[in-house]
């Protein structure tokens, strides 16, 4: 695909010196080639060539090759080997890409701890071309964006979609998908999976025991009392690994009670946002689960998979999570042949709530990035375009039991998985009453360890709601007062 009419696109300039300085401040020492050494004192980074930026390899730009993918240049990818595994990449997305680009060799890698695998390569200026930056060890995308380490994806979203050259990529995505990956006005993250959040339960178990699906918090407490008397735990959560999962029903119930504006205040770091009366009332409701011993005994010290596995095997009834849960616990669910996994929206704290019961939190997630220093970003964008094809998106859904941010791929699809089917039904029932928040994406350290620590203590009923609010406010203030952190804002 060579041509004398190739256009040359310079590589996006990066701020690698800033990135090196941040690593030094964090106490990370670098050896030859940018390899991480044991934590010890270090000087302010290394020499850097700040001359003319290296040019990207570039092929002929055409209707069939909108990015100018260079023929024969390898494409290195890293996939997070977590709840979704990596077979969706090797069995679905890579074959779609390779059918069109047989001469582009894909060097596939899978990793459980993405940050541990790749941070040194970012610092060395030699990152892979495409990264599924997910999991507990994910790199801070906000920090990477601030340090100029991420590629601007505007060209991807403006390009013709894989299936219809007359429709740009941005127009095939569920609204809000691009925005959630935008930093400082530039889209830099592709959030591919579309997650519906809620409370999950075994429908068969409730039906057999005549337990109603609670629609109010009082009904929840009544059902929990019956479940506890039956001899199993009413609730489980993700233990010591992720107490943040309990922040999700807390904030959703608060937003239903008082309206989505309270989430806007939280995201925008407004002073006193965490002390809103609706958030306090919701926190009190969550704390009451601990007060009444409605959590699975010992859950506060469990790893998240252990806690979820016990839930799937029938030792607890309600579990907060996103729609990835069905795939993540497929093996445990298979051990319980009567398990019919179902999602319910969080109950109302009051019958006078501003938003309806059907309101759900849903958002594009599972981030994919192209580093600014990628050797072959043109092919990486083309790989993303292939992922966003209807074939690629539906294949992903069938393989990992998760919706995607490609709107057409979710329409008219019959899902065999009961959990995903119920999530799709809940999303349909919600209509326009879909909410989300971004503070945990924009400011990961505010979420963990900040708010996570406060919530973990609240879930043991070791602190009062007032103390929880104070700790959450302190976590928000730490971000708000840190001039080194780029602040993001959103409007209603």
């Amino acid at each position: 695909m060579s041509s004398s009419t190739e256009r040359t696109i310079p590589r996006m300039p990066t701020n690698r010196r800033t990135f090196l300085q941040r690593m030094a401040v964090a106490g990370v020492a670098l050896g030859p080639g940018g390899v991480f050494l044991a934590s010890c004192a270090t000087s302010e980074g290394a020499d850097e060539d700040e001359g003319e930026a290296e040019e990207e390899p570039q092929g002929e730009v055409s209707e069939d090759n909108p990015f100018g993918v260079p023929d024969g240049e390898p494409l290195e990818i890293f996939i997070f080997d977590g709840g979704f595994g990596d077979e969706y990449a090797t069995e679905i997305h890579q074959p779609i890409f390779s059918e069109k680009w047989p001469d582009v060799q894909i060097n596939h890698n899978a990793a459980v701890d993405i940050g541990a695998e790749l941070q040194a390569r970012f610092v060395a200026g030699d990152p892979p071309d495409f990264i599924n930056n997910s999991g507990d060890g994910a790199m801070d995308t906000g920090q990477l964006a601030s340090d100029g380490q991420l590629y601007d994806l505007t060209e991807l979203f403006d390009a013709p979609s894989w299936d219809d050259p007359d429709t740009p990529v941005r127009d095939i995505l569920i609204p809000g998908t691009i925005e959630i990956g935008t930093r400082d006005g530039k889209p830099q993250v592709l959030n591919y999976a579309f997650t519906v959040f809620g409370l999950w339960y075994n429908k068969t178990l409730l039906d057999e025991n005549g337990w109603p699906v609670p629609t109010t918090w009082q009904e929840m407490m009544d059902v929990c009392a019956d479940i506890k008397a039956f001899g199993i735990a009413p609730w489980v959560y993700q233990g010591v690994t992720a107490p943040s999962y309990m922040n999700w029903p807390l904030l959703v119930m608060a937003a239903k009670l008082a309206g989505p504006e309270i989430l806007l205040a939280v995201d925008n770091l407004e002073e006193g946002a965490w002390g809103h009366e609706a958030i306090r009332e919701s926190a009190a409701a969550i704390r009451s689960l601990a007060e009444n011993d409605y959590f699975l005994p010992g859950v506060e010290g469990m790893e998240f998979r252990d806690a979820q596995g016990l839930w799937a095997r029938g030792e607890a009834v309600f579990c907060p999570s996103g729609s990835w849960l069905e795939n993540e616990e497929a093996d445990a669910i298979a051990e319980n042949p009567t398990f019919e996994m179902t999602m319910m929206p969080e109950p109302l704290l009051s019958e006078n709530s501003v938003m309806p019961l059907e309101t759900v939190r849903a958002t594009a997630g599972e981030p994919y990035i192209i580093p600014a220093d990628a050797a072959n970003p043109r092919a990486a964008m083309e790989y993303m375009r292939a992922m966003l094809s209807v074939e690629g998106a539906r294949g992903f859904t069938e393989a990992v039991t998760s919706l995607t941010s490609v709107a057409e791929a979710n329409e008219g699809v019959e899902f065999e998985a009961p959990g995903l089917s119920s999530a799709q039904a809940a999303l349909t029932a919600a209509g326009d009453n879909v909410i989300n928040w971004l503070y945990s994406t924009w400011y990961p350290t505010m979420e963990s360890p900040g708010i996570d620590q406060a919530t973990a203590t609240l879930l043991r009923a070791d602190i009062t709601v007032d103390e929880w609010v104070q700790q959450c406010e302190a976590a928000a203030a730490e971000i708000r007062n840190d001039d080194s952190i780029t602040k993001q804002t959103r409007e209603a």
Side-chain angles (χ1 to χ4, degrees):
M1 297 186 178
S2 60
S3 170
S4 59
T5 60
E6 294 176 3
R7 67 174 181 177
T8 301
I9 299 180
R11 175 171 295 179
M12 176 187 289
T14 65
N15 190 354
R16 183 166 164 253
R17 179 177 297 280
T18 301
F19 190 73
L20 286 166
Q21 290 171 346
R22 292 189 188 278
M23 292 299 101
V25 169
V28 179
L30 304 176
V35 178
F36 281 115
L37 301 176
S39 180
C40 60
T42 181
S43 61
E44 187 191 75
D47 292 337
E48 180 178 0
D49 179 7
E50 297 192 12
E52 185 175 350
E54 181 183 349
E55 293 180 350
E56 298 171 2
Q58 177 74 28
E60 179 183 1
V61 175
S62 65
E63 182 176 319
D64 197 44
N65 185 12
F67 306 127
V69 175
D71 201 16
E73 294 287 335
L75 173 66
E76 184 182 13
I77 74 172
F78 264 79
I79 301 294
F80 168 58
D81 190 5
F84 292 149
D86 71 325
E87 288 188 0
Y88 71 86
T90 58
E91 303 300 319
I92 299 166
H93 295 155
Q94 291 175 27
I96 293 173
F97 177 91
S98 295
E99 183 177 359
K100 181 177 180 181
W101 301 98
D103 294 330
V104 176
Q105 177 185 342
I106 295 178
N107 298 325
H108 174 90
N109 303 273
V112 173
D113 192 334
I114 290 292
E117 292 278 349
L118 297 179
Q119 279 182 326
R121 291 188 57 181
F122 269 83
V123 175
D126 180 35
D129 302 305
F130 172 92
I131 303 167
N132 172 204
N133 183 39
S134 189
D136 290 339
M139 296 173 287
D140 183 344
T141 51
Q143 194 63 68
L144 290 174
S146 295
D147 292 336
Q149 293 291 312
L150 298 183
Y151 201 88
D152 186 339
L153 299 180
T154 300
E155 193 173 355
L156 166 70
F157 297 124
D158 287 343
S161 61
W162 190 272
D163 300 296
D164 181 2
D166 294 328
T167 303
V169 169
R170 66 175 62 252
D171 288 352
I172 67 171
L173 301 176
I174 294 175
T177 297
I178 296 174
E179 287 73 14
I180 198 171
T182 297
R183 299 289 188 282
D184 301 322
K186 295 186 296 186
Q188 299 177 67
V189 181
L190 169 63
N191 288 284
Y192 185 63
F194 196 80
T195 301
V196 183
F197 297 83
L199 301 180
W200 302 84
Y201 65 95
N202 180 356
K203 184 177 185 297
T204 303
L205 183 64
L206 263 67
D207 289 348
E208 288 180 347
N209 289 280
W211 296 328
V213 177
T215 59
T216 67
W217 191 254
Q218 184 56 57
E219 290 178 1
M220 171 62 77
M221 297 302 286
D222 293 341
V223 169
C224 285
D226 291 342
I227 293 170
K228 182 181 177 182
F230 182 77
I232 57 178
W235 276 67
V236 72
Y237 65 92
Q238 284 67 13
V240 68
T241 309
S244 59
Y245 280 46
M246 287 299 291
N247 290 331
W248 305 344
L250 190 160
L251 289 174
V252 170
M253 291 193 300
K256 288 184 183 184
L257 180 61
E261 296 79 13
I262 64 172
L263 303 177
L264 199 68
V266 166
D267 281 348
N268 291 340
L269 303 176
E270 291 182 17
E271 189 171 351
W274 288 92
H276 190 285
E277 187 56 39
I279 293 181
R280 287 178 180 272
E281 186 168 339
S282 192
I286 293 299
R287 190 181 189 276
S288 70
L289 295 173
E291 294 169 357
N292 289 280
D293 296 323
Y294 288 158
F295 287 128
L296 181 70
V299 69
E300 68 276 1
M302 295 181 189
E303 296 296 315
F304 79 105
R305 290 299 304 276
D306 293 334
Q308 291 176 176
L310 292 173
W311 164 79
R313 293 178 177 91
E315 295 193 26
V317 175
F318 299 108
C319 178
S321 191
S323 47
W324 65 76
L325 179 63
E326 189 168 27
N327 184 71
E328 195 166 57
E329 295 303 328
D331 291 343
I333 291 172
E335 296 176 19
N336 189 351
T338 65
F339 198 102
E340 185 179 349
M341 182 172 168
T342 308
M343 188 207 122
M344 60 170 278
E346 292 84 351
L348 299 176
L349 292 171
S350 167
E351 293 181 356
N352 296 321
S353 295
V354 171
M355 303 190 77
L357 171 69
E358 292 78 13
T359 301
V360 296
R361 179 192 178 203
T363 182
E366 199 62 15
Y368 295 78
I369 59 175
I370 299 173
D373 281 335
N376 196 359
R378 310 271 102 202
M381 280 195 292
E382 182 73 346
Y383 186 88
M384 285 182 168
R385 199 167 72 103
M387 287 173 62
L388 295 168
S389 66
V390 171
E391 180 185 0
R394 285 188 175 169
F396 178 88
T397 295
E398 293 169 359
V400 306
T401 321
S402 172
L403 302 172
T404 72
S405 54
V406 180
E408 183 180 346
N410 300 329
E411 296 172 359
V413 179
E414 295 292 332
F415 298 112
E416 294 183 5
L420 184 61
S421 179
S422 69
Q424 184 188 40
L427 187 61
T428 300
D432 293 335
N433 295 301
V434 176
I435 59 175
N436 191 33
W437 51 85
L438 297 177
Y439 78 89
S440 51
T441 300
W442 288 343
Y443 316 113
T445 58
M446 174 177 162
E447 175 83 343
S448 179
I451 300 208
D452 273 9
Q453 288 183 347
T455 298
T457 314
L458 183 76
L459 296 174
R460 299 193 299 269
D462 286 345
I463 58 174
T464 65
V465 170
D466 285 345
E467 290 170 330
W468 177 81
V469 168
Q470 290 169 7
Q471 292 180 28
C472 293
E473 281 290 308
E478 186 173 349
I479 300 297
R480 185 168 58 246
N481 298 330
D482 188 339
D483 293 338
S484 71
I485 297 175
T486 303
K487 308 303 188 296
Q488 309 291 330
T489 58
R490 69 181 181 97
E491 299 179 356

